[in-house]
Amino acid sequence: MTLIQAFRDQSETCMRMESLLMGRVLGILAVNWDNRTALGRKMDSYQGDIGPAGHSLPLRIAGGLHALVLGGHDAALSAAYPPNVVDDATLEKAVLSALKTHENFFLDWTQSPPQTNEVRRSAALIAMAHVALSHFDRPIVLSELGASGGLNLMWDRFALDTGRKILGPNDAVLKLKPDWTGHAPPSANPQVVDRLGVDLNPLSANDSDDLLRLTAYLWADQPHRLALTRAAASVMEAQVEKDDAINWLERRLGAVPEGHMHIIQHTVAWQYFPAKAQARGAAMIEAKGAQATRETPLAWMQMETDGDTTGAVGAALTLRLWPGDLTLSLGRADFHGRWVNWTG
């Protein structure tokens, strides 16, 4: 795939996911991209998949543009971004000028892959955790793979409104209200006593530069996502360690005290692990599950693609539980948490 095609494909995906601005920006890049610049040459140096399941180069560049706006570093670009509304010619001029003026910034920014911490994915995590607790009501030790900034480790501080029932604390710092199809999950009272995450490049929501990176990959014409992220960051108390996820998991699996349920979670992260790491991780979890008891159970919550990467059918929601080696297919959810089709 060429970068031009990757821009086009990402533009179409953003349009489908209700971001007209991102669709327009990426369309501008598809038509006007110059691979003769230093940034263009750098993008050409990437090998393999440059789309959303790989290096995700279009989103790296789009995230850099939003970072300039959030940081107040380009007045003309800010004037062309929401809440302002401009015509295509004005937006094109602002985008292309920003790429030229801030090329050194983009060369640095695009070194790292996109890192989102989509808080709305916690809607699916809350629902799956309540199902797990309906089987094994124990205090929770929570572990997240590919946690980024770790905001979804705080799901017990959020509320989920299914339209039929509200799950979560009365003093929830934020309320998630996806377009919910299906009955409501069972009620439960989660007691998370330990929470820890891992990421190859962890970000701290308590650090201003890291929070900028997390928010820059939220689409600028969706301010509600920005508000949710900032609300979640305000109660962030989990640590995210820098490590290989599967090596870290091997140690973490042995750190759960008796009488607690270990919940392992990940959302749209597993697909980025190498195939050998996936196989090793699954084997380790299953082996630990075989040793689980009703007093010290194990739950594996997954919100992951099972082939579709366009957002059209979303991610599969799968919960595995031990003892008993139960595999529960609980439905599907939009990658950004806009909707949940719950069949649990």
Side-chain angles (χ1 to χ4, degrees):
M1 178 190 295
T2 66
L3 184 55
I4 299 302
Q5 187 60 50
F7 281 133
R8 290 178 181 142
D9 291 350
Q10 190 67 64
S11 173
E12 292 173 2
T13 296
C14 291
M15 292 283 196
R16 284 196 301 270
M17 300 186 78
E18 302 175 356
S19 179
L20 176 61
L21 175 76
M22 282 288 290
R24 292 171 67 202
V25 167
L26 289 158
I28 288 167
L29 294 174
V31 172
N32 296 279
W33 185 251
D34 186 353
N35 62 2
R36 297 168 298 177
T37 65
L39 182 61
R41 293 193 298 272
K42 178 185 175 182
M43 295 298 98
D44 279 349
S45 71
Y46 282 89
Q47 302 295 314
D49 188 352
I50 60 173
H55 298 299
S56 203
L57 300 186
L59 288 183
R60 294 191 196 204
I61 297 163
L65 289 165
H66 193 196
L68 290 175
V69 172
L70 291 173
H73 300 305
D74 190 302
L77 187 63
S78 295
Y81 264 54
N84 307 303
V85 178
V86 299
D87 58 31
D88 288 346
T90 302
L91 181 62
E92 178 178 310
K93 181 179 179 181
V95 166
L96 297 182
S97 176
L99 287 173
K100 181 178 180 180
T101 302
H102 304 282
E103 186 169 49
N104 287 335
F105 165 80
F106 282 100
L107 289 170
D108 179 64
W109 177 272
T110 56
Q111 286 289 109
S112 301
Q115 277 185 269
T116 54
N117 209 165
E118 180 52 73
V119 175
R120 292 182 298 177
R121 292 175 183 168
S122 277
L125 296 174
I126 292 168
M128 288 191 285
H130 277 64
V131 173
L133 287 164
S134 74
H135 287 261
F136 306 109
D137 188 5
R138 299 287 182 272
I140 296 168
V141 172
L142 186 60
S143 302
E144 183 169 20
L145 310 180
S148 189
L151 297 180
N152 286 316
L153 281 162
M154 304 303 299
W155 54 254
D156 59 314
R157 300 290 304 275
F158 312 155
L160 167 62
D161 185 350
T162 68
R164 295 168 176 79
K165 182 193 295 185
I166 296 177
L167 304 176
N170 292 329
D171 61 348
V173 68
L174 59 87
K175 182 184 288 186
L176 301 168
K177 193 172 182 180
D179 183 5
W180 187 277
T181 303
H183 61 76
S187 296
N189 183 28
Q191 309 258 340
V192 179
V193 298
D194 178 53
R195 64 187 95 219
L196 194 62
V198 65
D199 199 276
L200 283 175
N201 184 30
L203 300 177
S204 171
N206 298 313
D207 178 271
S208 59
D209 289 339
D210 284 358
L211 186 58
L212 173 63
R213 181 165 283 274
L214 287 174
T215 52
Y217 284 110
L218 303 175
W219 299 342
D221 53 349
Q222 297 180 346
H224 54 289
R225 297 174 67 198
L226 185 61
L228 288 172
T229 299
R230 287 174 172 162
S234 73
V235 296
M236 180 59 185
E237 59 184 32
Q239 182 180 356
V240 180
E241 298 181 333
K242 182 179 178 66
D243 204 345
D244 171 82
I246 304 305
N247 290 339
W248 178 90
L249 178 62
E250 186 172 24
R251 299 190 300 273
R252 182 71 169 165
L253 283 169
V256 179
E258 188 173 352
H260 294 69
M261 175 163 60
H262 188 190
I263 295 183
I264 301 164
Q265 68 180 43
H266 48 84
T267 64
V268 198
W270 193 261
Q271 70 185 54
Y272 297 110
F273 300 165
K276 288 184 178 179
Q278 291 179 2
R280 179 173 165 239
M284 286 194 310
I285 295 171
E286 290 167 351
K288 191 65 178 180
Q291 301 170 11
T293 67
R294 292 196 65 82
E295 286 301 309
T296 310
L298 176 64
W300 184 9
M301 306 195 310
Q302 305 167 67
M303 177 183 166
E304 295 291 345
T305 180
D306 54 1
D308 176 78
T309 60
T310 67
V313 298
L317 306 180
T318 306
L319 173 64
R320 297 190 65 181
L321 292 168
W322 294 270
D325 195 7
L326 299 175
T327 299
L328 304 177
S329 297
L330 298 176
R332 305 192 76 84
D334 170 61
F335 289 128
H336 285 182
R338 295 172 303 163
W339 53 262
V340 176
N341 182 6
W342 185 254
T343 59

